[in-house]
Amino acid sequence: MREFTKRLKWCLATFLFFALFAFGFSRSHAEAGGGIIFGKFVDPDGRTVIVENAADFRVFAYEPNTATFAEGIVMRDGSYRISLPSFSGDGSIAWIIGTEINPRFGFLSPPMEEIALGANHTVMHVVGLNRVTGVISGKVSKSNGFLGNAVVNLSRLFDTQGAVSSGVDGNGAYQFFVAAGKYLVSAFAAPKDNVVNPVATEVNV
């Protein structure tokens, strides 16, 4: 009887060992290939920005080749974390890191940045924000009224980051929250309006 009990205990111990091994193996493979991007939001002086309302801040990662998207989590202390989905391969993948920030909070979203990340790697990335120092607004009009289908482009002079576009409302109004600098404002009417686009205007904020 003792021999049988001893053999039974040995069999149970062996079974549990292999069961736990198999569980750990499958778990590691299920989680393999992902990565983490974490960091914090800082103001132009390098101080961490306290996030009073999480709805005002959004951070995400995007991989264009596979159209893979990962939403980040923003904490009140100004930190964030993006857990990336798993991917196959031994090399690294370039992720585009972007933010969407409500400018009424007082800060502007910086240009998107590219971060190369390998499988199961963790990268820290600090997001530097610019303060909102002014508002560029106006209306796009024609001789007999406003153009409700126009598009307004805003580009910062001597900046290679490109332009920001915005449609106008039904009254032809537009608005941009901006940091200090010189900007070029261009308006483009819809073809059906049959009007000549106005000359671009330089604005200093």
Side-chain angles (χ1 to χ4, degrees), residues 104-120:
R104 299 184 186 280
F105 184 78
F107 293 97
L108 299 168
S109 296
M112 292 187 180
E113 296 185 66
E114 183 177 295
I115 295 179
L117 191 69
N120 291 321

Side-chain angles (χ1 to χ4, degrees), residues 30-197:
E31 297 177 350
I36 294 174
I37 299 174
F38 74 99
K40 61 181 179 179
F41 295 97
V42 298
D43 65 16
D45 299 321
R47 295 174 297 191
T48 302
V49 175
I50 301 301
V51 180
E52 297 290 347
N53 184 3
D56 289 333
F57 282 72
R58 180 177 173 232
V59 61
F60 59 87
Y62 178 72
E63 200 286 297
N65 292 328
T66 60
T68 302
F69 183 87
E71 188 78 26
I73 298 174
V74 179
M75 307 300 290
R76 187 181 184 281
D77 64 359
S79 63
Y80 74 89
R81 176 189 176 97
I82 308 174
S83 297
L84 303 175
S86 61
F87 59 89
S88 60
D90 298 327
S92 61
I93 289 183
W95 292 87
I96 306 299
I97 308 302
T99 59
E100 289 183 4
I101 299 174
N102 184 350
R104 299 184 186 280
F105 184 78
F107 293 97
L108 299 168
S109 296
M112 292 187 180
E113 296 185 66
E114 183 177 295
I115 295 179
L117 191 69
N120 291 321
H121 286 189
T122 298
V123 171
M124 179 179 180
H125 176 65
V126 176
V127 180
L129 306 179
N130 290 321
R131 295 187 187 278
V132 173
T133 57
V135 178
I136 297 176
S137 61
K139 288 188 176 183
V140 182
S141 62
K142 57 183 179 179
S143 58
N144 60 346
F146 298 107
L147 295 173
N149 297 309
V151 173
V152 179
N153 282 359
L154 180 71
S155 57
R156 190 171 183 173
L157 296 179
F158 315 112
D159 194 330
T160 60
Q161 296 296 336
V164 178
S165 298
S166 173
V168 298
D169 62 18
N171 295 318
Y174 64 88
Q175 185 180 63
F176 295 97
F177 293 86
V178 298
K182 291 185 177 181
Y183 296 86
L184 196 65
V185 182
S186 307
F188 302 92
K192 67 177 183 178
D193 289 321
N194 195 28
V195 296
V196 178
N197 293 326

